[in-house]
Structures are given as structure tokens and as C-alpha cells.
Amino acid sequence: MLFAALGLVLASGQALAAELVIPVNAIDANGIGAGIGTVKVRDTKGGMMVMPRLSGLTPGPHGFHIHENPSCMAKEQDGKMVPGLAAGGHYDPGKAGKHEGPWGHGHLGDLPALAVNGDGTASDPAVAPTLKVADLKGRAVIIHAGADNYSDQPKPLGGGGGRVACGIVPSK
């Protein structure tokens, strides 16, 4: 019976899918704050499934990205501390140097927008078609204050604004 159940799971492909759960914390100029939930990621045939379980965010769409460095710390820029700046820029291994969203040919770090409900929670799953869980290892997940238009106009990097939450993706 056990072998039959194992065979069913393997046949469905579920046992072979890579999966990670990333704890996410609020961030500000002083550093890392309270936990606000998790983001689970899993490989699927259509790309990487992103499943947030977050609370305490402002309602509306938020820019949501994979950033280069595994840090959520504030860093000084132009004489002031900037939340999450130690995470670096958007993950861009191909050096595209442009912001075109998860379906474009820009940086790979662009995730689908995070939809936050009126009560400050986010739980709608989305698919990032060009990413795999392995791409995230040793990086950071950043949530921005505002929406992302997936363009570098009229503001750079989609105009999502400041970084308000962050999760470090383990390197192993």
C-alpha cells in the first residue's frame, strides 16, 4: 500500500518539485522588524509558483522582486539609511539592465505584482514563468511600498518606491 501511494505521488510529479518557505519581515531605516508572514515558492511546469501568506501591508498592488544579495539590512545612500538597500538591485544574471516584468526579457528578479487585500493580507498565488526555486537561493525577496508598472519610465524600476518588507532565501 505504501509503495502504491509513493508511486502515485511520484507519477504526479509533486514529490520532485523543489519548494522553499521564506520568512518575511517588515523593514525600515533601522533594519529588520517584526515578521509579517511567509512566501512559499515551488517549481511547476509553468514556472515558479509564488504563494504568499502575509499580513500588515498597505492595501493595493505592491512591487515584488528577487534581489541580488541575501540581506534585508538598511544601508546608507546619499547620507541617509535606506531600508533593505543591502539586498542590492534586482536579480539580473543575464545583465539585461532593463525592467520588463515577469513575462518580458528584462531582469529575472521581476515577480508578478503582490496583491494586498483591504485588510492588509496577501494570499493570492502567482506564477513567475522564467524562474525556478534554485534561482532564488542566496538572494532576497523584497516587497516595495507601491505598485510596479514593469517599466523604467516614468520612474526607474517600475516606480514601486521604497522597500517595506524582505525575506532572505537560504543558500542551501
Side-chain angles (χ1 to χ4, degrees):
M1 181 67 122
L2 175 63
F3 292 111
L6 182 58
L8 181 61
V9 169
L10 288 173
S12 71
Q14 296 300 314
L16 303 176
E19 184 173 281
L20 281 174
V21 177
I22 306 159
V24 178
N25 292 73
I27 56 175
D28 62 24
N30 296 316
I32 301 169
I36 63 166
T38 63
V39 172
K40 183 190 292 187
V41 292
R42 180 180 58 204
D43 287 336
T44 70
K45 289 181 183 179
M48 186 182 71
M49 176 72 69
V50 180
M51 298 161 282
R53 293 284 176 253
L54 302 166
S55 62
L57 295 165
T58 58
H62 289 262
F64 193 30
H65 306 102
I66 304 305
H67 284 249
E68 299 172 306
N69 305 321
S71 177
C72 293
M73 296 302 297
K75 185 176 173 184
E76 188 174 332
Q77 181 180 47
D78 299 327
K80 69 180 204 174
M81 296 303 286
V82 178
L85 192 59
H90 294 179
Y91 175 55
D92 188 15
K95 306 289 185 231
K98 54 187 173 177
H99 187 66
E100 294 185 352
W103 303 274
H105 299 288
H107 359 102
L108 288 182
D110 292 342
L111 295 175
L114 181 68
V116 179
N117 300 316
D119 64 357
T121 63
S123 60
D124 292 343
V127 174
T130 60
L131 285 171
K132 293 184 175 157
V133 171
D135 295 327
L136 276 61
K137 294 186 178 182
R139 311 216 178 279
V141 174
I142 296 282
I143 299 169
H144 292 266
D148 186 338
N149 69 3
Y150 302 121
S151 173
D152 288 320
Q153 301 296 326
K155 293 184 179 180
L157 302 173
R163 301 169 187 201
V164 298
C166 178
I168 297 172
V169 182
S171 59
K172 292 184 181 185

